[in-house]
Amino acid sequence: MVRKILPIFFFLISSSLFADSNWGSSIQKGFEIAKHDKKFIIVDVFADWCTYCLVLEKEIFPDPEVSKVLDQFVRVRLDGEEFPNLRKKYNIEGYPTILFIDGDGNYVTKISGLATKEDILVVSKRILQEPSLESYLKTELRKNQNSPDIHFRLGLLYFQNKEFEKAELQFTESIQKSKSLPVLKENAHFNLNLVKSIHGPKDSAVKSWKEYLELYPTSTRKTTAKLYYGLTLKDAGESKLAKSILTEIKPQLVSETDKTMCNEALSEIERGF
């Protein structure tokens, strides 16, 4: 069986406290509260040297109308310079950035740059109209049925929730609609293969991983793709080819999880499983 390949979510330590008690300083605590209260999270990502960040903090966020709306979110304020993983995960390129996510850390949307009171109110109220991220994305998809990005994000959400048939459908749609977006297309294809490795006929997963390796020979995830190709070959009963591939890529593996999966699979092949 292919194991341990569900998405992994990072946890971030807390930053310095602010005087405004409405804003928390720990994203991990924010996740806990958001899950318990079934709320979305708003993250004010700032930098000490950012002048407009102070305008947001001192003038716009305290505005009674804005504050009333934002009280319906879990509020977190983070110094972006202290959280490079957060900037990378959510593609934050500058300050201020107002980030909206759910209790599992799934991206909803963001406002970058010089956000006005009206910008914040419009986006916040739009999000609050929906009871969940799935509902929000489905509404956005109805507005733009050909959006490969929304299909992809729905696929990730369903994958996380182990709704594999729905995830497969959304990743397939994303692949078909992202012809002019090669990076998104590859990401969708990779995640589709992960779904197939867990759910469905193993022969289909083998075929899909082989196709991926042929389509993206220079992919930065080539070694990982070969690992899963070898694992699915083993699950499909093609032990000889699986052993050859897994032995080849074993020295190239970096993560302990990947090394463990590879070693366990090779051990099972040797024992005739």
Side-chain angles (χ1 to χ4, degrees), residues 236-254:
E238 300 184 44
S239 298
K240 185 176 180 180
L241 181 55
K243 180 179 179 180
S244 174
I245 291 172
L246 293 173
T247 302
E248 173 197 342
I249 56 98
K250 181 179 176 180
Q252 304 168 32
L253 299 175
V254 176

Side-chain angles (χ1 to χ4, degrees), residues 65-197:
E65 187 178 2
V66 174
S67 185
K68 182 178 180 181
V69 170
L70 296 191
D71 280 344
Q72 298 176 69
F73 293 85
V74 176
R75 299 197 204 183
V76 178
R77 178 172 283 142
L78 299 174
D79 185 338
E81 298 295 278
E82 297 180 6
F83 294 93
N85 286 344
L86 180 137
R87 298 202 314 270
K88 181 178 180 181
K89 180 178 177 68
Y90 299 109
N91 194 28
I92 294 173
E93 299 178 344
Y95 308 106
T97 293
I98 303 171
L99 175 67
F100 296 87
I101 56 180
D102 72 3
D104 292 308
N106 296 311
Y107 174 78
V108 180
T109 190
K110 63 186 174 186
I111 307 173
S112 301
L114 308 181
T116 65
K117 170 183 173 179
E118 289 70 27
D119 293 332
I120 296 169
L121 289 174
V122 168
V123 174
S124 298
K125 289 178 179 179
R126 167 69 193 89
I127 294 170
L128 292 171
Q129 289 176 354
E130 306 293 348
S132 67
L133 177 58
E134 179 186 10
S135 176
Y136 173 85
L137 290 173
K138 284 184 173 181
T139 299
E140 294 301 300
L141 190 60
R142 284 193 289 272
K143 297 177 184 177
N144 186 3
Q145 297 182 5
N146 292 317
S147 171
D149 178 65
I150 298 176
H151 281 295
F152 180 76
R153 291 166 62 192
L154 271 169
L156 289 178
L157 181 63
Y158 290 137
F159 189 9
Q160 174 189 320
N161 294 338
K162 299 183 181 180
E163 298 180 76
F164 298 123
E165 291 182 2
K166 291 182 179 180
E168 183 172 346
L169 175 61
Q170 295 301 325
F171 287 135
T172 300
E173 288 287 336
S174 182
I175 292 169
Q176 293 173 350
K177 295 175 180 178
S178 59
K179 294 179 180 179
S180 61
L181 300 168
V183 174
L184 180 59
K185 183 176 182 180
E186 181 186 340
N187 287 339
H189 198 159
F190 188 90
N191 281 277
L192 173 64
N193 290 357
L194 293 180
V195 173
K196 289 185 175 182
S197 297

Side-chain angles (χ1 to χ4, degrees), residues 185-228:
K185 183 176 182 180
E186 181 186 340
N187 287 339
H189 198 159
F190 188 90
N191 281 277
L192 173 64
N193 290 357
L194 293 180
V195 173
K196 289 185 175 182
S197 297
I198 298 172
H199 176 79
K202 298 306 175 186
D203 289 345
S204 176
V206 167
K207 181 180 178 181
S208 197
W209 281 117
K210 182 178 180 181
E211 182 183 62
Y212 178 91
L213 290 165
E214 291 171 349
L215 287 173
Y216 311 103
T218 60
S219 171
T220 57
R221 291 179 290 193
K222 183 177 180 179
T223 299
T224 306
K226 280 191 172 183
L227 169 63
Y228 292 134

